[in-house]
Amino acid sequence: MNQVIKLTPKDFETDQEVRWCPGCGDYAILKSMRKTLSEVGRNPDDVVVVSGIGCAARLPYYLETYGFHSIHGRAPSLATGIKLANPELDVWVVGGDGDFLAIGGNHLTHILRRNVDVNLILFNNAVYGLTKGQFSPTSIPGTRSPSTPDGSVDPPVNPATLALGGNGSFVARTADTLQDHLPEVLLRAHAFVGAAFVEVLQNCIVYNDNAFGDLTSKRHRAENTVIVRHGEPMLFGADNDRGLIYEPVRGEFRVTGNASEASLHDETNWALAAALARVNDPDLPTPLGVFYCAPREDFVSAREDLIPYTPLSPGDLKDLLYTDSWRA
Amino acid sequence: MIGNEGPGPRTVVRFAGDSGDGIQVLGGEFAKAVAMEHHDLLTLPDFPAEIRAPAGSTFGVSAFQIQFGGDGVLTPGDEADVLFAFNPAALKTNLDTLKRGGVIVVDTDAFSPRNLKRAGYAVNPLEDGSLSEYRLMSMAITHLTAEAVAPTGVGRKQAGRAKNFWSLGLSLWLFGGDRAPTIQWIESKFSSMPDVVASNVAALNAGHAYGETMELDAGDAALGVNAELHHGVFRTITGTDAMGLGLAAVAALSGLKLTYSSYPITPASALLHFLASLKGRGIVTFQAEDEVAAITAAIGTSYAGGLGVTASAGPGLSLKTEALGLAVAVELPLLVIDVQRAGPSTGMPTKPEQADLNLALYGRHGEAPLPVLAPATPSECFRIMIEAARIATTYMTPVIVLSDAYIANAAEPWELPDTDALPPIAPAFRSDPAGFEPFTRDPETLARPWAKPGTPALAHRIGGLERADGSGNISYDPENHQRMTDLRAEKIARVAEQGLEHEIDSGATSGDLLVIGWGSTYGAIEDAVSGLTRAGFSVGHLHLRQIWPLPANLGAILARFGNVAVAEMNRGQLARLIRSEFLVDARSITQTSGQPFKVGTIEAALRDLLDGLPRPRSQIG
Ligand SMILES: Cc1ncc(C[n+]2csc(CCOP(=O)(O)OP(=O)(O)O)c2C)c(N)n1
Ligand code: SF4
Ligand SMILES: [Mg+2]
């Protein structure tokens, strides 16, 4: 199953017409997924892409692998069942912010804490696209939508913070338009054994256009984001001339104009990861990258080590049935 | 089976005491000993819902009832011949289960002023003559046990715990039974605690010796009749264990890796515990975060080429309905068990009811038909699970199996099947890429191919959006949706063609009245019908094991009878189905008390029906 196969992104196109709105950020994610899958060296017949419901969740129809478009919010548990049946499969779970964080929030936290060996790709557009634009669990307060004409009230959930708090062992953030960074993170997620959670900031051009424009546009990207990589200084700015200094006591950051002062990223440091994930400050760049990566045994392997599955032979069945029996 | 002569002598014994008194162990071991004396039997535990109710309280009373005797014991008995009441609360809450003139065995030590008050007795019922209608056997069980175990040197606590073995010893004296199997069981159960073994065995022997020395006898209740169990190998089995073994058989017969995923709920959790105790042999158990996760993980398993199994009670089945619709839509095999309990909502979690039938038949949005099976007895759970798996994998469909709290907990002797003669289950995985499309169909069964991920060159997409006939691509085409809806219905209808065979279970094969039942009402209906048959009525009993699709010959059977009645523990759910499918005036006999039907209740209701029949009855016999 692990033979290296030469594939191109084109090999992952299906005969189905892609039906997202023109200009939707989902196209860019699809493109990166095809690129990643063509590079990971897995046979497409061993890849399964599972989704719930939403615009994002249509993705399996557009990938020439095995695919299961299931019901709203439940893709993580479906994927868990797939891994229990066949741990060899390369399983990807894709879904929107409503799918993963509203109706499926329960399953998301449980697949993370169990550390089932799948890749979870959250398409966060901070809106319910498919149902025509209602606010979502990641929408900022005040979001005007068909269901909140006067603006929403609920404070949002921060997906990466939730994943870290939920005992996730791999937590990353990237964005749809970053066609260099997105595949890099997807490759890292794929290489990780365990539940790899990737939040992709995604533009819904129809219902929440430019929600992340300040971060993802070519013009602002360098100023407003900082890409963190393990062991490297946390630098940003057009010339990478500024950096972040980590203040561990309060779990906060401050900006330095002296790049040599910048703190190094350590993706095994949970507190640093949590601090990066929760940055929400107009004076600070928004962190992207692999915040946390702390390998531990995945769920199905741990189960197998403790209680190995063995097929039941007819002889075993007879033994089971005939315990505590007597002859009349 | 009972002939026209009627059943042989039978005895009903009920043990009742504090939930800490070890009543279920006492009952279970007694049942084992009785079975080994070649009696037929059926047992039913009746435990309190509270985990640790205060000692001596009425709501902390745990009971266990057993009926045993000659052949054809099919119920735990309408009323007890002998009641063991280990404290005043047990007496108070169980006296109405004892027949007039029955025997009461009491532990006088437990009838302290404090316990009497807790049970709500102003005066001691052992002394005020209120039990004069019964035969009272009073003995100081607590003291006698303490004396018996004193030489083993155990503390007071363990001495107190040994009371149930003392009582078991006495019971084995009263009803005749070998102590050796119990001693063996004690030795293996407490193998790491030699003093516990010694004290329990001492108590067991002392109870037996007490009965012998005092020359106690159970009068008419003591019976020496054996069942004419033919030669074979037997074990006592509960519905839960039979279901678990049935799933193990499915694993062995199909070679499929089963994933049993569920979320704990009474009375279904016992099945999770049983399967977990198999330690990965044939079946992987998965405790999910809720029932939605449980069923979707099971669907994931079946998709990936294993067999997904999930079980719950009504509240959990309610949560699973959306995912059941997905399984119907994507046409994957799946076993869904509902161990029904009294509802709605949390209802009475430990009490049986059959009121989830409508949920099983109709509880999905859209047109989403699926087969529904129901075992009639505890041991039958074994073959029903095999049948459910055969249907699921042959027709690529989810199957619901309806059990209930009574079937799950009741126990009976089961003649073990020859494992070599069990029907094979042969799942047909698709591997040939030539002409593969995920929604083409087998012309006979209408099943779609099962193409599991990992199979070379069969990569395809499935999902809950309507699929084009053949290609499986998303389709909004009106004609396609009509065709797919019809195909899904026709596929399930075809299950009846090769489904479980149904014929009259007992009584008249044609005549005045057909009584139809399903599930755990089997024994009570069977006994009621045999009583009426002996009394000369023309009544037949048909018990449905396959409720959807209805058996192919059901219409023909109905046509042989002048009248039809349906007895079930709900408000007439199967009766309405029979009425609507066959346009017959099926009368409904129902009960929703959280208690199994008594034979007498059904017999009386049937007599009323027979008495009211418009045309003269043909008397037989
Ligand atoms: C049980 C259930 N409830 C509601 C819906 C309707 N619904 C479909 S997708 C969706 C939300 C989609 O939002 P998101 O998950 O963020 O995906 P997006 O469309 O934005 O990519 C909702 C509410 C459904 N399909 N199923
Ligand atoms: S509605 Fe938004 S998320 Fe959905 S396809 Fe259109 S642009 Fe994309
Ligand atoms: Mg969304």
Side-chain angles (χ1 to χ4, degrees):
Chain A
M1 284 211 169
N2 287 327
Q3 74 267 42
V4 182
I5 313 150
K6 280 263 170 295
L7 293 163
T8 66
K10 245 193 127 34
D11 292 320
F12 289 89
E13 288 175 14
T14 64
D15 58 0
Q16 297 297 291
E17 186 192 339
V18 183
R19 295 275 187 92
W20 290 310
C21 307
C24 174
D26 290 351
Y27 286 95
I29 306 178
L30 174 64
K31 190 172 161 211
S32 276
M33 287 271 304
R34 286 178 177 157
K35 180 171 186 300
T36 306
L37 285 168
S38 70
E39 287 168 5
V40 294
R42 288 295 302 253
N43 188 325
D45 291 326
D46 295 331
V47 177
V48 184
V49 185
V50 189
S51 66
I53 300 292
C55 296
R58 291 289 180 97
L59 184 123
Y61 289 110
Y62 311 137
L63 277 179
E64 190 54 52
T65 64
Y66 283 87
F68 198 155
H69 177 236
S70 70
I71 47 176
H72 200 21
R74 320 303 176 185
S77 40
L78 208 122
T80 302
I82 292 173
K83 288 299 273 193
L84 284 168
N86 184 359
E88 301 298 322
L89 295 171
D90 182 15
V91 177
W92 297 71
V93 184
V94 298
D97 36 314
D99 204 40
F100 270 28
L101 298 166
I103 194 165
N106 189 24
H107 309 306
L108 177 70
T109 60
H110 290 283
I111 198 169
L112 289 171
R113 78 173 166 86
R114 289 191 187 110
N115 203 32
V116 181
D117 182 21
V118 301
N119 311 308
L120 297 145
I121 315 299
L122 165 65
F123 295 32
N124 181 10
N125 54 12
V127 75
Y128 287 175
L130 192 72
T131 47
K132 303 201 185 324
Q134 301 86 353
F135 77 113
S136 91
T138 54
S139 301
I140 50 172
T143 296
R144 285 180 197 276
S145 79
S147 59
T148 51
D150 300 313
S152 60
V153 173
D154 339 10
V157 62
N158 177 326
T161 301
L162 182 88
L164 285 164
N167 208 2
S169 53
F170 180 102
V171 178
R173 182 191 293 149
T174 178
D176 51 4
T177 53
L178 310 187
Q179 284 296 314
D180 45 353
H181 190 245
L182 175 55
E184 172 189 329
V185 172
L186 292 180
L187 272 176
R188 284 285 319 269
H190 183 267
F192 185 79
V193 180
F197 177 79
V198 180
E199 175 192 6
V200 186
L201 306 176
Q202 174 242 324
N203 193 42
C204 169
I205 195 166
V206 176
Y207 296 112
N208 202 13
D209 195 19
N210 253 325
F212 309 106
D214 286 353
L215 309 180
T216 55
S217 72
K218 282 216 170 70
R219 241 176 78 204
H220 302 295
R221 177 181 164 182
E223 287 303 312
N224 292 347
T225 63
V226 53
I227 291 188
V228 299
R229 290 191 179 85
H230 184 63
E232 294 181 16
M234 300 188 277
L235 301 179
F236 68 103
D239 304 313
N240 266 346
D241 53 351
R242 272 162 298 153
L244 290 184
I245 295 178
Y246 177 48
E247 306 270 14
V249 176
R250 291 187 58 84
E252 288 173 354
F253 299 90
R254 66 188 163 80
V255 174
T256 171
N258 177 358
S260 66
E261 266 185 358
S263 306
L264 303 184
H265 178 44
D266 175 0
E267 65 187 18
T268 67
N269 181 337
W270 189 92
L272 172 59
L276 286 168
R278 66 191 290 273
V279 168
N280 182 16
D281 182 337
D283 296 332
L284 291 177
T286 297
L288 301 174
V290 178
F291 298 158
Y292 189 59
C293 176
R296 59 187 161 99
E297 195 171 25
D298 74 275
F299 178 63
V300 177
S301 306
R303 262 202 66 95
E304 267 301 299
D305 287 352
L306 186 66
I307 324 154
Y309 163 78
T310 47
L312 197 75
S313 73
D316 297 336
L317 175 65
K318 190 159 188 182
D319 291 347
L320 268 181
L321 284 181
Y322 283 69
T323 41
D324 279 335
S325 63
W326 74 87
R327 190 166 280 282
Chain B
M1 278 305 114
I2 303 155
N4 267 355
E5 321 78 57
R10 294 170 179 181
T11 301
V12 178
V13 179
R14 189 171 174 93
F15 300 102
D18 225 45
S19 39
D21 284 342
I23 300 297
Q24 303 306 327
V25 169
L26 164 56
E29 287 303 303
F30 181 66
K32 217 161 73 183
V34 165
M36 291 195 182
E37 295 301 314
H38 298 185
H39 292 304
D40 199 359
L41 62 90
L42 196 128
T43 71
L44 188 68
D46 184 1
F47 16 66
E50 283 70 22
I51 308 294
R52 292 241 161 93
S57 61
T58 50
F59 52 92
V61 172
S62 174
F64 182 99
Q65 188 162 316
I66 173 170
Q67 174 162 227
F68 59 99
D71 286 310
V73 177
L74 302 172
T75 74
D78 281 6
E79 45 186 16
D81 299 299
V82 179
L83 170 67
F84 281 74
F86 291 104
N87 68 10
L91 182 64
K92 179 124 197 173
T93 49
N94 285 274
L95 192 58
D96 65 354
T97 64
L98 184 64
K99 73 169 188 199
R100 272 199 189 177
V103 176
I104 308 176
V105 181
V106 293
D107 177 8
T108 50
D109 293 328
F111 282 69
S112 63
R114 208 172 113 121
N115 278 346
L116 286 164
K117 201 170 149 217
R118 276 214 181 134
Y121 282 116
V123 278
N124 189 341
L126 306 182
E127 292 162 4
D128 68 357
S130 61
L131 302 176
S132 57
E133 286 181 1
Y134 308 95
R135 218 179 114 207
L136 191 61
M137 286 165 58
S138 301
M139 53 200 84
I141 296 177
T142 308
H143 270 101
L144 290 164
T145 307
E147 266 171 33
V149 306
T152 68
V154 294
R156 264 186 53 182
K157 206 163 165 194
Q158 172 53 29
R161 283 203 188 124
K163 265 190 312 200
N164 59 340
F165 288 104
W166 193 96
S167 310
L168 177 59
L170 175 69
S171 309
L172 295 181
W173 160 257
L174 288 174
F175 302 102
D178 191 2
R179 277 164 286 161
T182 300
I183 294 175
Q184 264 173 27
W185 179 84
I186 293 173
E187 283 168 350
S188 76
K189 171 98 186 168
F190 304 104
S191 57
S192 60
M193 294 175 281
D195 53 334
V196 174
V197 172
S199 58
N200 285 341
V201 172
L204 180 76
N205 290 334
H208 194 266
Y210 180 83
E212 191 172 359
T213 334
M214 305 299 281
E215 297 187 346
L216 295 179
D217 75 84
D220 294 346
L223 89 176
V225 188
N226 288 348
E228 288 179 22
L229 295 177
H230 44 279
H231 292 281
V233 182
F234 291 79
R235 70 183 278 182
T236 354
I237 193 92
T238 62
T240 296
D241 291 0
M243 205 166 246
L245 290 170
L247 290 172
V250 169
L253 295 169
S254 67
L256 292 171
K257 180 177 183 182
L258 267 60
T259 298
Y260 179 88
S261 68
S262 77
Y263 186 74
I265 188 168
T266 303
S269 309
L271 185 53
L272 173 61
H273 305 165
F274 178 86
L275 295 172
S277 77
L278 300 184
K279 303 204 178 299
R281 284 179 294 169
I283 299 160
V284 171
T285 57
F286 172 56
Q287 181 176 315
E289 58 270 26
D290 60 27
E291 285 85 351
V292 184
I295 187 171
T296 40
I299 292 172
T301 289
S302 293
Y303 170 65
L307 182 61
V309 188
T310 183
S312 191
L317 184 60
S318 303
L319 287 175
K320 291 175 195 194
T321 56
E322 190 199 4
L324 265 170
L326 175 69
V328 169
V330 295
E331 303 186 46
L332 282 170
L334 178 74
L335 306 184
V336 180
I337 298 156
D338 175 10
V339 189
Q340 300 166 95
R341 59 189 221 183
S345 191
T346 309
M348 300 197 289
T350 56
K351 307 296 179 197
E353 204 162 86
Q354 300 181 303
D356 297 351
L357 177 60
N358 281 346
L359 178 62
L361 290 170
Y362 312 117
R364 289 163 296 285
H365 60 279
E367 290 289 350
L370 53 74
V372 178
L373 306 183
T377 64
S379 60
E380 211 177 270
C381 291
F382 180 78
R383 75 172 176 108
I384 288 289
M385 290 321 297
I386 298 175
E387 174 65 6
R390 184 193 68 81
I391 294 173
T393 52
T394 307
Y395 295 88
M396 295 293 280
T397 177
V399 176
I400 293 183
V401 177
L402 292 175
S403 169
D404 67 31
Y406 173 100
I407 289 204
N409 293 323
E412 62 177 354
W414 174 37
E415 184 178 3
L416 292 166
D418 174 1
T419 48
D420 298 330
L422 293 172
I425 299 172
F429 287 109
R430 174 77 181 224
S431 58
D432 182 6
F436 169 74
E437 283 189 321
F439 281 85
T440 50
R441 290 174 194 280
D442 179 297
E444 208 167 297
T445 60
L446 297 182
R448 76 173 189 92
W450 196 358
K452 58 180 171 183
T455 313
L458 293 190
H460 64 281
R461 275 63 57 194
I462 61 170
L465 284 166
E466 183 63 284
R467 298 137 307 277
D469 187 13
S471 75
N473 291 335
I474 298 172
S475 169
Y476 286 88
D477 177 51
E479 276 167 33
N480 177 72
H481 182 52
Q482 180 71 54
R483 189 160 60 247
M484 289 296 273
T485 307
D486 296 346
L487 279 167
R488 287 187 288 263
E490 171 62 17
K491 180 176 83 166
I492 301 307
R494 289 196 187 179
V495 170
E497 289 168 15
Q498 311 249 330
L500 288 171
E501 274 179 33
H502 283 73
E503 244 319 315
I504 296 294
D505 285 85
S506 69
T509 52
S510 66
D512 288 343
L513 179 62
L514 175 68
V515 191
I516 304 179
W518 64 279
S520 70
T521 54
Y522 172 79
I525 299 176
E526 194 72 2
D527 277 3
V529 166
S530 76
L532 290 169
T533 305
R534 279 196 307 281
F537 292 101
S538 146
V539 188
H541 173 205
L542 173 69
H543 216 72
L544 297 183
R545 275 77 171 181
Q546 181 185 296
I547 305 178
W548 195 260
L550 286 164
N553 62 341
L554 181 55
I557 296 176
L558 290 170
R560 305 204 299 250
F561 288 85
N563 296 277
V564 177
V566 181
E568 50 188 332
M569 297 193 290
N570 57 42
R571 288 184 56 82
Q573 300 184 10
L574 179 64
R576 280 196 294 278
L577 180 68
I578 303 276
R579 280 171 163 262
S580 68
E581 289 292 316
F582 295 99
L583 295 179
V584 295
D585 184 17
R587 316 288 185 84
S588 214
I589 300 170
T590 69
Q591 171 177 309
T592 54
S593 61
Q595 293 296 323
F597 269 120
K598 288 190 168 163
V599 177
T601 310
I602 293 186
E603 195 170 331
L606 291 176
R607 259 181 202 276
D608 281 353
L609 269 180
L610 287 160
D611 288 344
L613 288 188
R615 62 188 179 78
R617 294 186 304 273
S618 50
Q619 296 278 320
I620 56 158

